[in-house]
Amino acid sequence: MAQKKHTIIEQIAEKLGIIPNLHGETEPALPRLTEPGDLTSFPPPDKWDDWAEYDPKAHPRKVKRHYSIVPTTCFNCESACGLTAYVDKETGEVRKFEGNPYHPASRGRNCAKGPATINQITDPDRILYPLKRVGARGAGQWERVSWEEALNDIAARIGKAISEGRNNEVAYHVGRPGHEGYMDRVLQAWNVDGHNSHTNICSSGARFGYNLWYGYDRPSPDHANAKFILLISAHLESGHYFNPHAQRIIEGKMKGAKLAVMDPRLSNTASMSDYWMPTYPGSEAAVLLAMVKVILDEGLYNREYMENWVNWEEYLKKVHPGAPMTFESFIEKLREEYKEYTPEFAEKESGAKAAMVVDVARQIGQAGTRFASHNWRSAASGNLGGWAVSRALHFLQVITGSVGTVGGTSPNTWNKFKPKFFDTPPAQKFWNELHFPNEYPLAFFEMSFLLPHFLKEGRGKLDVYFTRVFNPVWTYPDGFSWIEALSDERKVGLHVALTPTWNETAFFADYVLPMGLASERHDLNSYETHGATWIAFRQPVLREVARRAGKPVEFTYEANPGEVWEEDEFWIELSWRMDPDGSLGIRDHFKSPYRPGEKVNIDEYYQFIFENVPGLPDVARKEGLTELDYMRKYGAYEVEPYSYNKHLKAVPEAQLNGSVVDPETGVINKDGANVGVMVQGKAYVGFPTPSRKNEFYSQTMVDWKWPEYAVPTYIRSHIHPDSLNKDAGEYCLVPTFRLPTLIHSRSGNAKWLTEISNRNPIWMHPEDANRFGFKTGDLVRMNTDIGYFIDKVWVTEGMKPGVVACSHHLGRWRRQQDAGNRWATNTVNVQNDGKGGWKMSTVSGIRPFASDDPDSKRIFWSDGGVHQNITHAVHPDPISGMHCWHQRVRIERPQPGDEYGDIFVDTNKSFEIYREWLKMTRPAPGPDGLRRPLWFARALRPDKSTFYL
Ligand code: SF4
């Protein structure tokens, strides 16, 4: 079958509206308020080797200091904004961090956490050398060891496990990766199914809802070009990609876009919105479906898009077999399907006014293809069935035809670069049920927060367990169950913590290996921040300064403070040692592409990637640079300035030759794999779903035993008002919101940030506070399903009545025998009764301390907040696998003896609750004995043969 060309006549006819426009705006003229490199007050790059500035500390004298300016990227959240490090030529130390104007996403701007990188690299409590535990695990005693000793010991242990076929006993558990594909390559070279991630406490819910629709699991909104923006979160002030998004949301608003925000808190985001909808947590899908109904009833939908790019024929055939197979009949059935979702029903469920629901729906309908929306964690991560929220939200994108358009919302991968590696190992031949158990065949992705319970049930054990910039004891729910698992050497043989700073999980490690911060490591970054595609290069800046000075180093730790290293080189060295004679075949995947037979080095690794970035070789050549040197110089490159409508890409001729078209669905199949779909007589790649279209109707949900969710619907949350006993003082606690100045457990080593934010009181509306007689500052006992925590109340009208909230950022702790993060940690006592009862009490709050940094004696704050997550039971959604964060809490006044910061948890109770939620699952196998639908993505995808039970 041959692909028909898109002729000039067709193009003109499309523009005039004579035929439907199936090609969209692929290269629109879209002026941006700031182009990369526009910010002219930044030092020009030709002066980055020697930039002179007056020393502010010498003021009023004018003393010039000379700097090497080296670009890198921020390591404090997932955005990877551009930074430039100012390295003092005299002292050889980094003096400060500014933005990088050449970074296409951040465009020279940063949030408070970017420049605070300087605090982190100069933190007097940082770990500078590899450490090995002395005495019992968790006892807090450490000795310094060499990298050589640590590498040899760990490599021998993994090598032994692999040669004995115990590949599933090796696991790597990552917080936020911050690199593109590096570890997938390493783990597959080892042939282990050992990737475990934090996704299930973060975005699994949202991912699942999106994935069902179009085979992509994340959104990439084009805020800057939108006419209407809907956020199911506080995303303008915090959240995923928030600095790049925030500047583009404001850019959109400056061009006239309207903003609506669903959030039970009057967040800074809500305060910037045109429509604040303080929806009851978990009711968001009901509101979104009511908006769908308004758009349908008022004929504001995009007929052309829906007719061509939704699998409506399949819906009619399967659900309404007698109905006429026409688009009009589909719309009629759709209106019937959602007739219950009236604006009044939405108001009843959510508290958002019906009139506002109608108004916002109309504005979305009128914005049409320029409607952008975003949901990442928030509602989709808080609720049982939270995935239904992103599914309903994407419904609005589909119905307005704003999927992948200018000013609409694209799939994430359309705006994300996938690097080509010098070597790609085969997929691993193992399926690890500790990460992907049969009970959760549809989960996105690993059931990582259940690991302690799986180990407790004896489902397996871990011989070598890496935690990489990852702190589950503190960040995850049910942290005491993690302490129990990590303390038991029969469950976890060797725990290696790779981390730039001490954390509550590293206290229970065998090795603590210091990894670099933003300016001390190599990583490749590319994220879906806007309607373009870019890459950025995180690089160790002192290493780069040494290279510029003609004094190159072999390993990054030679240039970094102490012996702080980076993961990239660590994994190469470890892998090489795991296979000393090459018999495991691991070494083959770490050989240089330029020097046959020799071990690859980090420069070669990145040179190969950059040589294969489309367009970069030409741009670099124009400056007389290699691709690697170009990235060292500018730190970023825009691969595609406009990335839209990629479903309209023609199926390549080579794939069409010998392909077969399904006469009923138009799906094009080549050699057993679907490669595209026929639409209006043309072959398009479409979307990676079974129908190659947006799937309003999901046969997958039917096949995998969830027929009640075949089409988008609203699922009542576990914290729905009907499930709470209000008379007994039960409330929904929203424990997920972020502060713009902190980032999970990464910012406890930044003095400026903890100075700004150091408490996490319970947000409570005056009506609720009056009920208990609370005033601001009073102690409150928050009873969860497995224990309680004692916090303070903040009475505010900025909270929806009937709901309470607590930021999860604060409450960092260390025991008296532990080190680290003294800017941010309370000193605590932890007692265990040996029968599952754990009690934590605060010995002292944050105190000034003596160090090389005079600021450490000037600490004036003393309240480090309260660790709430450790009192939460695990709530695994039976479908998406998401931990449903919102908690049913029973609020009461403190009991005699209760002190601020007190925590109690019974881990027997948390195990019981895990088992209760487990009962809700409908385990694999699915059709054909599958563990998981083949078309679903899977982190570190193993060999196809492993998908069958
Ligand atoms: S948003 Fe802030 S913390 Fe995140 S990468 Fe950008 S500067 Fe760093």
Side-chain angles (χ1 to χ4, degrees):
M1 209 196 83
Q3 168 70 48
K4 275 205 252 162
K5 291 234 162 49
H6 179 217
T7 65
I8 296 211
I9 291 171
E10 277 178 323
Q11 289 174 39
I12 295 168
E14 278 179 356
K15 285 250 160 19
L16 295 176
I18 298 166
I19 62 169
N21 179 3
L22 296 174
H23 300 86
E25 300 162 86
T26 48
E27 288 190 0
L30 293 172
R32 295 161 170 168
L33 292 190
T34 317
E35 290 291 341
D38 264 1
L39 300 179
T40 47
S41 57
F42 279 83
D46 58 345
K47 296 200 174 148
W48 284 9
D49 272 349
D50 187 12
W51 175 252
E53 270 183 11
Y54 292 126
D55 183 349
K57 284 192 174 159
H59 182 77
R61 288 178 302 124
K62 291 193 169 174
V63 177
K64 269 193 180 173
R65 298 201 74 89
H66 289 261
Y67 298 98
S68 280
I69 299 179
V70 185
T72 186
T73 63
C74 182
F75 192 54
N76 277 337
C77 89
E78 54 287 332
S79 306
C81 297
L83 292 177
T84 43
Y86 285 59
V87 183
D88 190 311
K89 281 180 165 281
E90 198 180 311
T91 64
E93 290 172 354
V94 181
R95 171 73 184 79
K96 63 173 177 176
F97 290 91
E98 301 273 358
N100 177 4
Y102 290 91
H103 191 294
S106 58
R107 302 181 292 191
R109 303 175 178 103
N110 297 102
C111 79
K113 302 185 287 288
T117 301
I118 191 69
N119 297 165
Q120 299 174 303
I121 65 171
T122 57
D123 172 28
D125 281 355
R126 71 176 302 185
I127 309 158
L128 289 171
Y129 302 95
L131 299 173
K132 186 178 182 182
R133 85 169 149 95
V134 182
R137 193 184 283 167
Q141 303 297 314
W142 303 90
E143 65 178 4
R144 181 176 161 184
V145 293
S146 67
W147 277 113
E148 203 57 26
E149 184 183 339
L151 283 167
N152 288 337
D153 186 19
I154 300 164
R157 188 149 180 162
I158 303 176
K160 185 166 185 292
I162 290 174
S163 43
E164 291 173 1
R166 292 182 287 113
N167 303 45
N168 276 352
E169 292 185 14
V170 180
Y172 160 85
H173 205 152
V174 59
R176 181 166 295 111
H179 60 69
E180 292 310 309
Y182 193 101
M183 267 322 280
D184 290 12
R185 218 192 68 78
V186 171
L187 293 168
Q188 293 194 314
W190 299 357
N191 190 21
V192 302
D193 193 30
H195 187 277
N196 208 353
S197 69
H198 77 288
T199 305
N200 278 72
I201 56 112
C202 178
S203 55
S204 298
R207 285 174 189 255
F208 185 80
Y210 284 115
N211 181 69
L212 270 189
W213 265 109
Y214 63 172
Y216 300 105
D217 63 358
R218 280 166 283 170
S220 176
D222 187 22
H223 295 306
N225 298 301
K227 285 189 178 152
F228 198 90
I229 300 169
L230 174 58
L231 304 176
I232 314 288
S233 64
H235 196 70
L236 177 53
E237 70 188 279
S238 61
H240 233 74
Y241 310 139
F242 104 85
N243 168 41
H245 275 192
Q247 41 181 285
R248 289 173 175 84
I249 292 170
I250 295 300
E251 197 169 318
K253 277 177 73 77
M254 286 166 73
K255 291 192 279 186
K258 293 277 185 269
L259 173 65
V261 171
M262 287 190 201
D263 194 332
R265 287 184 315 124
L266 180 60
S267 60
N268 293 338
T269 304
S271 69
M272 295 290 287
S273 65
D274 300 283
Y275 299 91
W276 175 37
M277 310 180 84
T279 40
Y280 184 85
S283 67
E284 296 82 357
V287 178
L288 295 167
L289 293 176
M291 290 178 183
V292 166
K293 176 175 160 54
V294 171
I295 290 171
L296 280 173
D297 289 350
E298 300 191 5
L300 294 170
Y301 55 87
N302 186 325
R303 175 184 174 126
E304 181 190 317
Y305 186 81
M306 289 180 74
E307 194 165 4
N308 289 316
W309 290 107
V310 175
N311 70 337
W312 57 269
E313 287 109 326
E314 190 178 3
Y315 167 70
L316 287 181
K317 194 172 140 211
K318 299 277 175 54
V319 183
H320 302 285
M325 192 55 73
T326 62
F327 185 74
E328 286 69 24
S329 153
F330 169 60
I331 292 293
E332 193 189 312
K333 295 296 176 197
L334 208 49
R335 291 184 61 187
E336 251 175 55
E337 188 91 55
Y338 294 100
K339 67 174 188 293
E340 313 289 338
Y341 289 93
T342 60
E344 293 69 30
F345 172 73
E347 176 171 334
K348 180 177 153 288
E349 288 298 287
S350 72
K353 294 284 173 235
M356 191 184 278
V357 174
V358 173
D359 192 4
V360 169
R362 284 181 183 147
Q363 301 243 13
I364 290 172
Q366 281 153 13
T369 59
R370 291 196 181 233
F371 164 58
S373 71
H374 198 247
N375 177 219
W376 191 267
R377 300 185 74 208
S378 188
S381 71
N383 300 288
L384 175 67
W387 57 272
V389 176
S390 56
R391 196 184 193 193
L393 185 61
H394 188 75
F395 200 173
L396 282 173
Q397 300 291 160
V398 170
I399 205 168
T400 50
S402 53
V403 181
T405 53
V406 174
T409 303
S410 291
N412 63 314
T413 53
W414 291 6
N415 302 142
K416 192 167 161 69
F417 181 73
K418 213 168 167 208
K420 180 173 175 192
F421 300 112
F422 71 96
D423 170 270
T424 306
Q428 71 277 19
K429 302 284 192 307
F430 289 84
W431 182 291
N432 194 333
E433 292 184 6
L434 281 178
H435 309 322
F436 284 94
N438 294 334
E439 289 93 336
Y440 297 92
L442 306 177
F444 266 71
F445 293 106
E446 303 94 336
M447 297 304 299
S448 65
F449 63 99
L450 300 185
L451 183 62
H453 296 299
F454 293 158
L455 293 173
K456 195 168 185 168
E457 285 180 323
R459 293 187 183 214
K461 64 175 186 137
L462 296 171
D463 190 43
V464 181
Y465 178 57
F466 292 98
T467 49
R468 182 275 193 186
V469 197
F470 177 57
N471 186 12
V473 167
W474 189 81
T475 315
Y476 274 36
D478 196 13
F480 284 120
S481 289
W482 279 88
I483 292 178
E484 287 178 358
L486 292 173
S487 303
D488 186 344
E489 291 182 43
R490 289 162 305 175
K491 295 190 172 88
V492 180
L494 182 77
H495 173 202
V496 183
L498 308 170
T499 176
T501 182
W502 281 108
N503 65 48
E504 289 81 349
T505 302
F507 299 154
F508 301 92
D510 300 301
Y511 281 103
V512 174
L513 303 181
M515 293 293 148
L517 292 153
S519 55
E520 300 165 344
R521 52 189 295 120
H522 289 94
D523 287 307
L524 176 71
N525 311 127
S526 179
Y527 299 114
E528 61 276 16
T529 53
H530 59 292
T533 307
W534 53 269
I535 56 168
F537 190 34
R538 188 177 287 139
Q539 62 179 329
V541 303
L542 298 181
R543 180 178 179 145
E544 171 58 5
V545 167
R547 193 191 66 84
R548 288 183 191 176
K551 297 178 198 156
V553 298
E554 185 181 1
F555 294 116
T556 296
Y557 63 72
E558 296 165 37
N560 277 346
E563 287 182 9
V564 170
W565 208 0
E566 61 171 23
E567 286 105 39
D568 281 10
E569 286 183 339
F570 172 80
W571 295 121
I572 295 172
E573 293 305 311
L574 188 75
S575 304
W576 199 258
R577 283 167 173 76
M578 279 164 52
D579 187 18
D581 58 4
S583 59
L584 292 176
I586 294 172
R587 279 197 173 197
D588 290 340
H589 302 296
F590 295 90
K591 286 183 179 160
S592 165
Y594 306 105
R595 295 174 294 120
E598 294 191 52
K599 186 171 57 184
V600 68
N601 66 39
I602 203 62
D603 288 344
E604 292 169 333
Y605 176 86
Y606 283 103
Q607 175 62 33
F608 188 91
I609 289 176
F610 295 145
E611 278 172 6
N612 286 284
V613 175
L616 180 54
D618 290 341
V619 172
R621 205 172 303 122
K622 277 188 197 137
E623 296 218 12
L625 298 171
T626 66
E627 296 81 359
L628 176 60
D629 283 345
Y630 181 92
M631 293 301 288
R632 283 168 168 156
K633 180 174 177 185
Y634 291 99
Y637 173 70
E638 190 167 56
V639 184
E640 243 182 37
Y642 304 104
S643 312
Y644 300 103
N645 287 316
K646 295 195 175 181
H647 62 299
L648 298 177
K649 230 172 103 191
V651 179
E653 288 288 344
Q655 286 206 303
L656 286 177
N657 290 334
S659 64
V660 181
V661 178
D662 184 310
E664 213 169 292
T665 63
V667 171
I668 306 165
N669 189 285
K670 173 85 181 281
D671 300 332
N674 293 341
V675 295
V677 63
M678 296 300 298
V679 173
Q680 303 278 350
K682 293 194 173 61
Y684 296 105
V685 294
F687 298 93
T689 55
S691 65
R692 305 300 289 189
K693 295 186 176 180
N694 285 281
E695 299 216 331
F696 167 71
Y697 170 80
S698 173
Q699 184 62 39
T700 303
M701 289 303 275
V702 177
D703 290 345
W704 288 78
K705 310 168 195 172
W706 298 97
E708 64 269 46
Y709 301 136
V711 300
T713 186
Y714 161 54
I715 300 172
R716 287 189 165 198
S717 172
H718 63 300
I719 46 79
H720 187 276
D722 291 353
S723 308
L724 302 179
N725 183 348
K726 269 281 151 100
D727 296 337
E730 287 185 355
Y731 279 72
C732 164
L733 168 68
V734 173
T736 42
F737 74 88
R738 283 179 174 183
L739 302 175
T741 39
L742 298 178
I743 191 78
H744 307 303
S745 66
R746 284 197 185 190
S747 41
N749 55 354
K751 62 185 179 187
W752 295 342
L753 302 177
T754 49
E755 179 180 355
I756 298 169
S757 312
N758 44 61
R759 284 171 293 172
N760 60 340
I762 304 296
W763 292 40
M764 194 179 283
H765 189 272
E767 279 174 19
D768 297 311
N770 287 341
R771 177 181 166 193
F772 295 96
F774 286 133
K775 56 184 190 315
T776 292
D778 283 353
L779 290 186
V780 53
R781 183 187 263 241
M782 304 288 288
N783 295 287
T784 65
D785 287 343
I786 61 171
Y788 64 83
F789 64 100
I790 309 296
D791 203 341
K792 290 179 183 168
V793 172
W794 183 45
V795 182
T796 170
E797 290 189 342
M799 192 67 222
K800 182 181 178 68
V803 184
V804 292
C806 180
S807 168
H808 73 281
H809 282 306
L810 280 307
R812 301 297 307 280
W813 52 264
R814 66 181 197 282
R815 302 161 305 168
Q816 298 186 65
Q817 67 265 43
D818 301 321
N821 300 320
R822 281 177 288 175
W823 311 100
T825 47
N826 294 318
T827 308
V828 299
N829 255 340
V830 178
Q831 291 168 304
N832 175 16
D833 64 9
K835 294 182 290 187
W838 290 84
K839 176 113 177 52
M840 185 185 290
S841 49
T842 306
V843 177
S844 72
I846 298 164
R847 295 276 181 271
F849 60 94
S851 76
D852 291 343
D853 181 346
D855 279 348
S856 65
K857 282 205 166 153
R858 300 183 186 123
I859 290 177
F860 59 83
W861 59 97
S862 57
D863 182 351
V866 184
H867 185 192
Q868 57 160 332
N869 290 6
I870 204 164
T871 68
H872 297 176
V874 294
H875 296 155
D877 182 90
I879 297 176
S880 69
M882 178 77 220
H883 169 56
C884 308
W885 275 104
H886 295 342
Q887 300 288 309
R888 174 182 55 191
V889 287
R890 187 169 51 79
I891 295 176
E892 61 178 350
R893 296 195 62 84
Q895 294 183 6
D898 280 352
E899 301 274 354
Y900 179 54
D902 279 359
I903 282 167
F904 176 76
V905 167
D906 178 354
T907 53
N908 296 314
K909 189 78 187 145
S910 60
F911 187 69
E912 268 173 40
I913 291 179
Y914 149 69
R915 297 298 289 250
E916 275 171 29
W917 281 66
L918 190 66
K919 280 190 207 138
M920 288 192 252
T921 60
R922 298 178 192 171
D928 304 325
L930 280 165
R931 292 176 186 271
R932 180 177 183 79
L934 283 169
W935 73 274
F936 272 27
R938 215 213 79 163
L940 196 74
R941 194 177 182 86
D943 189 79
K944 190 176 169 188
S945 61
T946 65
F947 275 70
Y948 296 88
L949 271 170

